[in-house]
């Protein structure tokens, strides 16, 4: 009888502790400057591109490796490797498949944080893309991120603006490209969460009718374990309330699988 009572008391407490640990890990995975090693595979499928209503699929492989710098700072290294399949958007253009331009981001972030967590550093775009999947330009910018994590929430903003710095082809178009991604996550029991993280962009080299892409939408996700490996999955859908007149897609469907590697598992 005593053992039954003890198990009755301990098992719910253990379950609550495990659920709290899962929720905390989910929140950490939603922090772009967390000290958590991770490898996200983010797949974005856009619909109704160009006059041919083409589908464009971009798989972004985005490994994150944090490094400790002294007693006070971390350097969060992020690499974005796009693998792109692009159907024919305009007559005679043809389909294309290959790598896009790689992007490196390095965020310096203080180890000691308060209510606001922030990071600041360089963003470098390399002209590694194939065929028409590249800007043919080296581009550089500052990048900044700030977020807060009150209770079950993770709320923040990541911004950058890249400019070409030379080294590309002489006839390549100049690069002046702004990106802002706000993210709002509400975490629940069992590793489930609601999320919205649209990517707002502005191409300052385009004319006024083709400058902005502004999506609106969201979705949900869940963190769970495959054996000892934590895996974070999510799905989101976005409708572009503003887009380039002659090129931009109407819809984007995003699916992500993120493998997490905590320091102790």
């Amino acid at each position: 009888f005593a053992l039954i009572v003890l198990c009755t008391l301990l098992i719910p407490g253990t379950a609550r502790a495990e659920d709290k640990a899962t929720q905390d890990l989910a929140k950490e995975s939603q922090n772009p400057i967390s000290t958590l090693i991770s490898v996200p595979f983010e797949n974005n499928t856009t619909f109704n591109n160009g006059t041919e209503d083409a589908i464009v699929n971009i798989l972004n492989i985005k490994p994150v490796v944090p490094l400790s710098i002294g007693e006070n700072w971390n350097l969060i290294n992020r690499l974005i490797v796009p693998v792109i399949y692009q159907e024919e958007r305009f007559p005679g253009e043809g389909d294309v498949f290959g790598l896009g331009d790689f992007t490196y981001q390095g965020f310096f972030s203080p180890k000691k944080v308060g209510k606001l967590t922030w990071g600041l550093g360089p963003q470098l775009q390399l002209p590694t893309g194939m065929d028409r999947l590249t800007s043919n330009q080296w581009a550089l910018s500052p990048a900044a991120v700030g977020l807060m994590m009150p209770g079950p929430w993770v709320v923040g903003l990541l911004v950058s603006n890249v400019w070409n710095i030379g080294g590309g082809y002489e006839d390549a178009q100049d690069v002046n490209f702004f990106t802002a991604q706000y993210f709002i996550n509400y975490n629940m029991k069992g590793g489930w969460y609601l999320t919205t993280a649209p990517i707002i962009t502005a191409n300052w080299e385009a004319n006024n009718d083709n400058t902005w892409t502004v999506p609106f939408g969201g979705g949900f996700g869940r963190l769970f374990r495959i054996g000892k490996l934590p895996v974070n999955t999510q799905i989101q859908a976005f409708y572009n309330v503003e887009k380039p007149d002659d090129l931009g897609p109407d819809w984007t469907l995003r699916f992500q699988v993120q493998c997490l590697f905590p320091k102790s598992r």
Side-chain angles (χ1 to χ4, degrees), residues 18 74 135 143 177 201 223:
E18 290 179 353
N74 291 315
S135 67
F177 199 79
T201 62
L223 187 141

Side-chain angles (χ1 to χ4, degrees), residues 26-77:
K27 290 178 63 177
E28 192 175 359
S29 72
Q30 296 155 14
N31 176 2
I33 51 174
S34 162
T35 56
L36 186 69
I37 297 175
S38 66
V39 183
F41 297 85
E42 179 190 277
N43 194 83
N44 293 277
T45 304
T46 61
F47 302 89
N48 306 117
N49 290 270
T51 59
E52 298 298 293
D53 291 334
I55 291 175
V56 176
N57 193 86
I58 304 175
L59 171 63
N60 288 317
I61 305 169
K62 301 163 50 173
V64 180
V65 180
L67 296 175
S68 176
I69 300 179
E71 297 181 357
N72 300 317
W73 294 91
N74 291 315
L75 173 59
I76 313 302
N77 299 284

Side-chain angles (χ1 to χ4, degrees), residues 66-263:
L67 296 175
S68 176
I69 300 179
E71 297 181 357
N72 300 317
W73 294 91
N74 291 315
L75 173 59
I76 313 302
N77 299 284
R78 304 178 67 193
L79 182 65
I80 303 173
V81 179
V83 182
I84 304 171
Y85 170 68
Q86 188 180 96
E87 288 185 344
E88 183 177 74
R89 300 167 301 171
F90 304 101
E93 183 183 57
D95 298 351
V96 64
F97 173 76
L99 293 174
D101 290 344
F102 292 7
T103 299
Y104 165 78
Q105 294 173 327
F107 292 101
F108 292 93
S109 179
K111 290 183 177 180
K112 185 177 181 180
V113 296
K115 292 183 179 180
L116 176 67
T117 302
W118 61 272
L120 182 66
Q123 174 173 308
L124 176 65
Q125 180 177 299
L126 294 75
T128 55
M130 304 163 64
D131 198 11
R132 64 172 184 266
L133 303 178
T134 178
S135 67
N136 284 321
Q137 292 275 20
W138 290 80
L140 182 67
S141 86
V145 60
L147 67 141
M148 295 184 293
M149 296 192 290
W153 295 90
V154 177
V155 181
L157 176 68
L158 191 158
V159 294
S160 67
N161 197 108
V162 295
W163 296 270
N164 58 283
I165 55 174
Y169 292 98
E170 292 183 0
D171 59 347
Q173 294 184 350
D174 288 339
V175 174
N176 186 359
F177 199 79
F178 170 78
T179 302
Q181 182 177 31
Y182 68 83
F183 47 94
I184 303 172
N185 300 277
Y186 180 76
N187 290 276
M188 301 174 290
K189 293 181 178 180
W192 290 95
Y193 59 91
L194 302 176
T195 183
T196 178
I199 300 174
I200 300 168
T201 62
N203 180 6
W204 304 119
E205 294 295 322
N207 60 46
N208 291 336
D209 292 332
N210 296 295
T211 301
W212 288 94
T213 300
V214 182
F216 180 79
F220 62 92
R222 189 191 181 198
L223 187 141
F224 59 93
R225 294 179 184 272
I226 300 177
K228 293 183 178 181
L229 178 68
V231 178
N232 180 29
T233 58
Q234 63 174 247
I235 187 168
Q236 298 185 67
F238 303 99
Y239 176 73
N240 288 328
V241 296
E242 178 70 25
K243 64 173 186 174
D245 288 345
D246 60 355
L247 179 64
D250 293 327
W251 287 91
T252 299
L253 180 65
R254 179 186 301 162
F255 178 71
Q256 178 178 287
V257 176
Q258 180 185 19
C259 299
L260 309 174
F261 302 93
K263 292 180 181 179

